[in-house]
């Protein structure tokens, strides 16, 4: 049975989509069968993995709103073992359209359960909000990765996200666990980055991944070429960091 991991943080610009697509690519490189769900209307994870969003006939929007079978919306990426259900700009209005649905928080869970036997990992790239789509992702997930950027205001909003996770655990998904806090955009030369790293590690202790994602030019460049870092420059710091993160997640499963 596969594991569903949501990547969530309502704060934008924390490296969530970058982590989603590069972690998915790294897990696939380590020969795990991976499905990435792009649940962000901006569809950056889709285009970052080489999907032409304008050509997409069936997206996560169609699955959630029009009850299209999830298998009909799966696209293959250029990386063996890595598939993706792309996003669409229509997803912006999906939350309003879902308001009248029965068990509206459970739609994604129902959608993904039949796919669990086909994949080792299903990753969900959430939008930067705590709206109904993110609630759906957290209700469907076994665990959540929370990216935290090593910059000023990094911890702002985390308590709100943790509160949402707590409510979801109480009311919708008692089994939801925190997979880990992931420090992103880290620059060891900056005193502030080191202070935030220390603060997060002190506060969340063993919940913080040992792997840290360093600030890296190749990591920023790769999506504009429709590639994850591991295909754009396998020797880059960004590619190595995400491979290390993938290995850490796999090892955690074995422990």
């Amino acid at each position: 049975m596969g594991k569903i991991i949501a990547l969530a943080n309502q704060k934008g610009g924390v490296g969530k989509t970058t982590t989603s697509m590069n972690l998915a690519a790294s897990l696939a490189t380590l020969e795990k069968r991976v499905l990435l769900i792009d649940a962000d209307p901006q569809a950056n994870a889709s285009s970052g993995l080489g999907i032409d969003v304008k050509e997409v006939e069936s997206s996560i929007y169609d699955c959630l709103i029009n009850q299209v079978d999830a298998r009909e919306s799966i696209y293959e990426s250029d990386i063996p073992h890595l598939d993706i259900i792309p996003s669409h700009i229509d997803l912006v209005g999906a939350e309003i359209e879902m308001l009248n649905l029965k068990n509206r928080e459970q739609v994604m869970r129902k959608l993904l359960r039949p796919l669990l036997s086909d994949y080792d990992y299903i990753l969900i790239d959430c939008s930067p909000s705590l709206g109904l789509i993110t609630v759906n992702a957290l209700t469907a997930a076994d665990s959540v990765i929370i990216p935290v950027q090593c910059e000023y205001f990094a911890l702002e909003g985390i308590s709100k996200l943790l509160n949402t996770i707590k409510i979801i655990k109480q009311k919708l998904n008692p089994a939801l666990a925190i997979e880990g806090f992931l420090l992103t955009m880290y620059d060891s030369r900056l005193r502030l980055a080191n202070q935030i790293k220390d603060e997060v590690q002190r506060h969340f202790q063993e919940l913080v991944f040992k792997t840290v994602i360093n600030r890296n030019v190749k990591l920023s460049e790769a999506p504009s070429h429709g590639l994850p870092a591991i295909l754009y420059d396998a020797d880059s710091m960004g590619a190595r960091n995400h491979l290390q993160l993938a290995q850490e997640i796999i090892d955690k499963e074995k422990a």
Side-chain angles (χ1 to χ4, degrees), residues 39-40 64 91 94-95 98 108 126-127 131-138:
D40 184 344
L64 292 170
L91 201 59
E95 302 200 340
M98 287 169 79
M108 199 178 289
C126 298
S127 65
L132 189 52
I133 304 282
T134 299
V135 168
N136 259 267
L138 294 172

Side-chain angles (χ1 to χ4, degrees), residues 164-182:
T164 301
I165 290 169
K166 189 175 153 193
I167 293 166
I168 285 168
K169 277 184 72 136
Q170 285 169 353
K171 301 192 172 174
L172 297 163
N173 182 6
L176 181 63
I178 291 176
E179 188 75 28
F181 289 85
L182 177 68

Side-chain angles (χ1 to χ4, degrees), residues 29-46:
T29 302
L30 296 170
E31 303 198 331
K32 297 293 178 187
R33 296 164 307 157
V34 185
L35 175 65
L36 177 61
I37 312 288
D38 188 353
D40 184 344
Q42 294 174 78
N44 291 339
S46 306

Side-chain angles (χ1 to χ4, degrees), residues 144-146 179-183 201 205-212 245 248-249 252:
V144 54
I145 291 174
I146 302 169
E179 188 75 28
F181 289 85
L182 177 68
L183 291 157
Q201 287 171 335
Q205 296 170 2
E206 73 281 355
L207 281 176
V208 183
F209 283 107
K210 291 183 179 69
T211 304
V212 173
L245 175 65
E248 190 175 340
I249 288 169
K252 201 171 163 189

Side-chain angles (χ1 to χ4, degrees), residues 67 89 112 114 136 163 174 182 186 225 241 249 254:
Q67 281 80 54
I89 190 65
L112 299 182
N136 259 267
N163 197 40
L182 177 68
Y186 175 65
H225 297 269
N241 285 163
I249 288 169
K254 292 179 193 161

Side-chain angles (χ1 to χ4, degrees), residues 66-227:
N66 303 324
Q67 281 80 54
V68 169
D69 185 335
R71 285 193 173 88
E72 290 177 31
S73 303
I74 293 173
Y75 289 73
E76 288 182 358
S77 76
D78 291 335
I79 294 181
H81 313 301
L82 174 56
D83 295 337
I84 180 167
I85 295 183
S87 185
H88 193 277
I89 190 65
D90 287 351
L91 201 59
V92 167
E95 302 200 340
I96 294 165
E97 294 178 68
M98 287 169 79
L99 283 177
N100 296 324
L101 292 181
K102 197 169 172 241
N103 296 330
R104 60 187 181 217
E105 300 88 359
Q106 310 274 357
V107 181
M108 199 178 289
R109 186 192 187 102
K110 240 168 66 183
L111 196 77
L112 299 182
R113 289 287 142 188
L115 303 177
L116 277 172
S117 52
D118 300 342
Y119 295 97
D120 298 306
Y121 293 96
I122 296 178
L123 303 182
I124 309 173
D125 180 28
C126 298
S127 65
S129 80
L130 291 178
L132 189 52
I133 304 282
T134 299
V135 168
N136 259 267
L138 294 172
T139 304
D142 297 301
S143 64
V144 54
I145 291 174
I146 302 169
V148 181
Q149 88 280 36
C150 295
E151 291 175 0
Y152 199 56
F153 294 138
L155 299 175
E156 196 183 66
I158 284 188
S159 59
K160 202 172 173 190
L161 174 61
L162 292 177
N163 197 40
T164 301
I165 290 169
K166 189 175 153 193
I167 293 166
I168 285 168
K169 277 184 72 136
Q170 285 169 353
K171 301 192 172 174
L172 297 163
N173 182 6
L176 181 63
I178 291 176
E179 188 75 28
F181 289 85
L182 177 68
L183 291 157
T184 62
M185 306 180 194
Y186 175 65
D187 186 340
S188 59
R189 298 166 302 178
L190 301 177
R191 189 164 45 154
L192 179 64
N194 288 304
Q195 282 172 350
I196 287 163
K197 181 171 176 253
D198 292 345
E199 198 175 332
V200 172
Q201 287 171 335
R202 190 176 65 248
H203 200 75
F204 298 110
Q205 296 170 2
E206 73 281 355
L207 281 176
V208 183
F209 283 107
K210 291 183 179 69
T211 304
V212 173
I213 309 298
N214 290 274
R215 194 175 276 286
N216 178 244
V217 174
K218 300 286 186 199
L219 205 51
S220 311
E221 288 174 356
S224 64
H225 297 269
L227 295 169

